[in-house]
């Protein structure tokens, strides 16, 4: 079981490089989604144990705390730059990504309840088809979303921001996280 839930190591990126930090967050999203998938398979095959409860708590922590902050970063500092850029294609992409954020929030709302139960010391029960389907949709949505951001939207936004705007973006991201 120990290899099923490997530890997380964060990519080295700081607030002084906001786009690198956003990309590092994407890696953590991918790892958290992978952990969710392994957790579901473990519970289906072996039931609940201390490691599965810990993995459930880790997934909860990421998608309850870090993911919403990341989405806010994108909405405030990336999407806003492109929505008003006059580029119809980019504005359409941004509208789609904003819709993704709403759908991700809804899917997370469905996944959160079983994860909360699985994180409890007395966790019991199997993984039902609805949870599997919801988790698969959550992962598919994120995969396409991240690809669009990394391949199109982040480069376009970065190209439109000067050093002062990047510094302001960094400061805002730090303030919202209360980082000194």
């Amino acid at each position: 079981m120990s290899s099923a839930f490997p530890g997380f190591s964060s990519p080295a990126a700081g607030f002084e490089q906001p786009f690198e930090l956003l990309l590092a967050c994407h890696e953590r999203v991918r790892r958290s989604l992978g952990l969710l998938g392994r957790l579901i398979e473990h519970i289906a095959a072996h039931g609940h144990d201390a490691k599965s409860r810990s993995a459930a708590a880790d997934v909860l922590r990421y998608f309850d705390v870090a993911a919403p902050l990341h989405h806010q970063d994108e909405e405030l500092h990336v999407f806003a730059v492109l929505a008003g850029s006059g580029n119809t294609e980019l504005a359409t992409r941004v509208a789609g990504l904003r819709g993704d954020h709403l759908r991700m929030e809804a899917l997370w709302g469905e996944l959160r309840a079983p994860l909360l139960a699985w994180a409890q010391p007395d966790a019991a029960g199997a993984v039902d088809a609805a949870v599997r389907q919801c988790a698969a949709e959550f992962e598919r949505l994120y995969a396409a979303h991240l690809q669009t951001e990394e391949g199109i939207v982040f480069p376009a936004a970065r190209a439109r921001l000067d050093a002062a705007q990047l510094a302001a973006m960094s400061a805002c991201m730090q303030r919202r996280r209360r980082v000194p």
Side-chain angles (χ1 to χ4, degrees), residues 7-154:
F8 287 79
S9 63
S10 297
F15 287 103
E16 66 282 353
Q17 299 175 312
F19 281 94
E20 287 74 10
L21 185 61
L22 292 172
L23 291 169
C25 288
H26 282 188
E27 288 308 309
R28 287 188 289 278
V29 166
R30 288 180 178 101
R31 283 191 227 128
S32 295
L33 290 168
L35 182 59
L36 174 61
R38 291 188 307 278
L39 172 62
I40 288 170
E41 293 310 314
H42 176 80
I43 293 170
H46 308 288
H48 300 276
D49 58 25
K51 289 188 180 195
S52 66
R53 288 188 294 276
S54 176
D58 287 347
V59 172
L60 281 161
R61 188 170 28 260
Y62 186 80
F63 288 107
D64 275 351
V65 178
L69 285 168
H70 176 75
H71 290 179
Q72 289 172 1
D73 291 337
E74 292 173 343
E75 296 278 346
L76 292 171
H77 305 294
V78 179
F79 299 171
V81 168
L82 298 177
S85 70
N87 182 317
T88 305
E89 180 186 347
L90 287 174
T92 300
R93 297 272 186 175
V94 165
L97 293 171
R98 285 183 166 146
D100 288 352
H101 283 174
L102 295 174
R103 182 67 185 136
M104 289 168 181
E105 187 178 324
L107 289 168
W108 178 242
E110 293 177 41
L111 288 169
R112 194 170 185 279
L115 281 158
L116 283 168
W118 297 346
Q120 298 306 309
D122 60 347
V127 178
D128 65 26
V131 169
R132 281 184 179 279
Q133 182 179 354
C134 187
E137 184 178 347
F138 194 57
E139 190 279 326
R140 280 191 303 273
L141 180 59
Y142 258 111
H145 183 89
L146 299 179
Q147 183 178 5
T148 299
E149 287 178 342
E150 292 170 3
I152 299 168
V153 173
F154 285 4

